[in-house]
Amino acid sequence: MTGVDERESPWRIHGMSVEGYRHRRQGLPCQDACAYTVSASMAVLAVADGAGSRPRSEEGSRLAVELAAEHFARRAAGAAECQPGEAVHELLEDAFHDVSKMFLERTGADAADFATTLTVVVLAPGWLGHLTVGDGFVVLRAGTEDGERQFHLLPQARAASEYSNETVFLTSPDAARWVHTDCVSDDGVDGVLLSTDGLAQAALNRSGGGALSPNTSFVDAVFRSLDAPGPVTDSAHEGLATLLRSDRLTALNADDKTLLRAVLKARP
């Protein structure tokens, strides 16, 4: 999904959702989804993970990312002079309210059947905005240290309680209470990766104390494969699909997998 000719955007964007091994074995569709929209100065990226226990979560995840791309882009375009800080958090929260309202209007009394997580990134001049509800995650590529690229995991949304691993969904009661927002102002950011939890074991490392950090070898390879100038080729698209369906990643997690990445194009 795109708003203008992508050649006008400073970002090269590519991603996909693929069904996990369990769904392939059962003949079920992928319940993840991703979408994005771009303009000459701004981009919005969104990923969603439909709740496997809900009968229409496949539709819910698709609806969530479509609404997010539309409404977050509209809010960002209407705040062209927005400066990093509290104004960005308010913009993100307002856009989430728009998405939630439209999602519930579209799904009606059966909204719970469409339950899905949602993770969104807005790339605007001077700042990056991030909003998440549920267990999606975002990794940034920014800066170097001793000649090595540096990767940073943005904070994730809280669980429903400190004693629970229960995922919060867009349709959960008081979902807005569990939304997490971030504003990053760093001219060194030249890569952004969004994913659902199906790639958490591959893309993230967990320390002995439980803290998460990017798996440098995995995320570096994913970003570098998009750094080549020009449009994304068919072979690159097929290569990402092959990676996401690979036995190596399936052995780590049999869930559906989504990877949406953006890299800053080389400046002329």
Side-chain angles (χ1 to χ4, degrees), residues 65-84:
V65 295
E66 290 168 4
L67 291 173
E70 175 186 352
H71 289 283
F72 278 79
R74 182 176 59 81
R75 286 283 183 176
E81 304 303 318
C82 187
Q83 297 299 309

Side-chain angles (χ1 to χ4, degrees), residues 210-236:
L212 293 171
S213 61
N215 176 356
T216 299
S217 61
F218 181 86
V219 298
D220 186 40
V222 166
F223 279 124
R224 280 190 288 107
S225 68
L226 195 60
D227 279 330
V232 178
T233 63
D234 289 343
S235 62

Side-chain angles (χ1 to χ4, degrees), residues 1-6 36-39:
M1 172 190 305
T2 178
V4 299
D5 186 333
E6 292 185 44
Y36 66 91
T37 187
V38 298
S39 71

Side-chain angles (χ1 to χ4, degrees), residues 137-140 151-154 156 199-208 210-219:
F137 62 90
V138 175
V139 174
L140 305 183
F151 305 96
H152 312 273
L153 175 66
L154 293 182
Q156 294 173 273
L199 279 176
Q201 289 84 352
L204 305 178
N205 292 322
R206 187 180 295 274
S207 70
L212 293 171
S213 61
N215 176 356
T216 299
S217 61
F218 181 86
V219 298

Side-chain angles (χ1 to χ4, degrees), residues 36-135:
Y36 66 91
T37 187
V38 298
S39 71
S41 60
M42 176 269 298
V44 174
L45 301 89
V47 301
D49 179 359
S53 61
R54 308 296 172 84
R56 304 186 69 177
S57 59
E58 174 197 5
E59 298 168 71
S61 63
R62 289 202 308 265
L63 177 60
V65 295
E66 290 168 4
L67 291 173
E70 175 186 352
H71 289 283
F72 278 79
R74 182 176 59 81
R75 286 283 183 176
E81 304 303 318
C82 187
Q83 297 299 309
E86 189 58 34
V88 172
H89 291 274
E90 292 176 1
L91 181 155
L92 297 172
E93 291 165 1
D94 289 344
F96 179 78
H97 175 78
D98 295 342
V99 170
S100 298
K101 182 174 182 290
M102 290 302 301
F103 191 95
L104 294 175
E105 286 182 5
R106 296 271 194 94
T107 55
D110 297 325
D113 290 347
F114 296 79
T116 180
T117 67
L118 179 64
T119 299
V120 184
V121 167
V122 179
L123 300 168
W127 54 267
L128 176 155
H130 163 233
L131 178 143
T132 185
V133 57
D135 48 16

Side-chain angles (χ1 to χ4, degrees), residues 146-199:
D146 297 328
E148 298 291 330
R149 296 271 201 174
Q150 297 299 296
F151 305 96
H152 312 273
L153 175 66
L154 293 182
Q156 294 173 273
R158 295 177 297 159
S161 81
E162 62 180 309
Y163 305 106
S164 170
N165 291 321
E166 180 184 352
T167 300
V168 177
F169 298 110
L170 189 57
T171 51
S172 297
D174 299 324
R177 176 184 174 194
W178 306 105
V179 164
H180 178 86
T181 62
D182 287 295
C183 177
V184 177
S185 181
D186 183 347
D187 290 338
V189 174
D190 65 358
V192 183
L193 181 156
L194 291 74
S195 181
T196 56
D197 71 329
L199 279 176

